[in-house]
Amino acid sequence: MKFLSSIRFLLIVISFSFCLPAFSNDEARKIVFVAGNRSHGWGAHEFNAGCLLMEAHLKEALGDNVTTRVFKSGWPKSVDPFKDADAIILFMDGGGGHPINRNLEQVKKEIDRGCGLMCMHYAVEVPVGKSGKALQNWIGGYYETGWSINPHWIAESKLNMNHPITRGVNNFKVKDEWYFNMRFREGKNGVTPILEAVPDDNARSGKSSWPRGPKKHIVEASGKSETLCWSVERNDGGRGVGFTGAHFHSNFADDGFRKLVLNAVAWTAGLDIPDKGLITHRPDEKELDSNQDFKKPNLSKK
């Protein structure tokens, strides 16, 4: 009788184990998103909507194994906003007005304890000098004005399938404002390409970039595969990721694009990515339209 009871208990334990999530509670991570102020108009640079969408989909995929916080519409004003964060995700306008320029020491304090950092789209662009060197150290590279370029073009993905971030990600073709020709560390030391694509010659011409092209060194690299997403594992134990897409908010509806971004966020926070990646539903039009900073235009009008 005791033997049969033991067998029943063992079967219950085995059955329960198959229902466990891909992540265990001891891997729980805290992720802090910082969304920039409203920017380009409906459907583009939707930083608040993008961060809130990513937050919701991370919770869908990870459940109790992740805690999140989204600071909307600019740099957080609260005291110690990144306390205990395993990753900081910056999705905001960059360049000379990038908030990180005046908050380098605050971010460095988190980096020095091993916090991960991911910069998305315009947030990869900072000025040459202190900010540029900081991003080279923290995420491996940055967009340098005059060296890098930001055209609108369709990228046909070439994924590094040896990296955890690409687990479960299917190749995709997505039109975006894909920045390329980043100013990486010397010799790309420690930088691992995650997503690459070959820009066509129209993209290289600079006709759809700002400031307008052409740039000689960009045009002469015709046919070259360019890195659009990359990662580093820093000596301090933290991780860094740069992702140059996400100009158009609607691209989160592409399953490959969305999974790559979500995997990258989770990896930056130190999570192990399961074989099939982070699995979430495809957002519909209503979900994509929610939380945007600008009123949706009447697209039926000519």
Side-chain angles (χ1 to χ4, degrees):
M1 216 39 197
K2 287 183 178 179
F3 176 75
L4 290 175
S5 297
S6 299
I7 292 295
R8 289 194 194 98
F9 177 75
L10 181 60
L11 289 173
I12 291 171
V13 170
I14 292 172
S15 298
F16 178 73
S17 68
F18 282 106
C19 298
L20 289 174
F23 297 86
S24 58
N25 286 328
D26 63 353
E27 293 179 327
R29 295 291 187 268
K30 179 180 178 180
I31 300 173
V32 176
F33 293 88
V34 183
N37 294 310
R38 72 181 198 162
S39 178
H40 276 43
W42 184 86
H45 286 214
E46 288 291 352
F47 305 129
N48 289 324
C51 287
L52 290 168
L53 186 147
M54 287 186 283
E55 176 188 47
H57 282 250
L58 283 171
K59 289 181 175 179
E60 176 186 344
L62 302 175
D64 293 336
N65 297 291
V66 64
T67 60
T68 59
R69 183 166 186 184
V70 175
F71 289 99
K72 297 190 294 183
S73 302
W75 199 261
K77 297 179 176 62
S78 58
V79 177
D80 207 6
F82 307 123
K83 182 180 180 182
D84 300 326
D86 294 289
I88 300 167
I89 314 301
L90 302 183
F91 190 26
M92 58 186 56
D93 283 347
H98 199 313
I100 203 172
N101 297 329
R102 59 182 182 274
N103 292 289
L104 287 175
E105 288 305 313
Q106 182 183 21
V107 177
K108 183 179 183 299
K109 183 184 77 171
E110 310 302 329
I111 294 292
D112 287 346
R113 63 173 178 80
C115 183
L117 178 66
M118 178 173 173
C119 296
M120 295 181 60
H121 197 50
Y122 201 174
V124 304
E125 181 179 346
V126 292
V128 175
K130 286 185 177 180
S131 294
K133 289 179 180 178
L135 284 198
Q136 283 182 323
N137 289 332
W138 299 342
I139 69 169
Y142 70 103
Y143 181 107
E144 180 184 308
T145 302
W147 174 255
S148 308
I149 191 171
N150 60 342
H152 291 213
W153 56 288
I154 298 174
E156 186 168 354
S157 65
K158 296 167 62 179
L159 299 168
N160 176 1
M161 301 309 297
N162 294 318
H163 197 284
I165 289 177
T166 63
R167 289 177 184 165
V169 178
N170 293 324
N171 276 300
F172 54 86
K173 290 177 67 174
V174 168
K175 182 177 181 179
D176 208 313
E177 186 183 30
W178 295 105
Y179 304 168
F180 63 88
N181 203 54
M182 297 296 103
R183 181 65 81 179
F184 290 112
R185 296 171 179 172
E186 187 70 30
K188 271 193 173 181
N189 182 32
V191 176
T192 301
I194 304 298
L195 166 67
E196 294 189 328
V198 179
D200 59 27
D201 287 343
N202 186 59
R204 289 190 176 277
S205 73
K207 292 178 181 178
S208 64
S209 64
W210 186 260
R212 302 294 183 207
K215 298 178 181 178
K216 186 172 182 291
H217 66 286
I218 297 292
V219 173
E220 289 179 346
S222 176
K224 178 185 175 184
S225 185
E226 301 285 356
T227 301
L228 311 179
C229 178
W230 65 91
S231 73
V232 297
E233 296 188 64
R234 304 190 309 265
N235 292 333
D236 54 52
R239 294 172 172 180
V241 169
F243 180 76
T244 74
H247 175 87
F248 296 118
H249 185 64
S250 60
N251 285 337
F252 283 108
D254 185 282
D255 293 334
F257 179 100
R258 185 179 67 260
K259 180 171 286 193
L260 184 73
V261 171
L262 294 174
N263 284 357
V265 172
W267 183 86
T268 303
L271 284 161
D272 292 325
I273 309 301
D275 290 342
K276 294 183 179 180
L278 273 61
I279 299 173
T280 69
H281 71 279
R282 182 183 299 167
D284 59 15
E285 184 177 357
K286 181 179 179 181
E287 183 178 357
L288 290 169
D289 289 347
S290 64
N291 301 309
Q292 293 206 32
D293 294 325
F294 295 86
K295 184 179 179 180
K296 186 175 182 177
N298 187 345
L299 301 178
S300 64
K301 290 183 178 180
K302 292 184 180 180

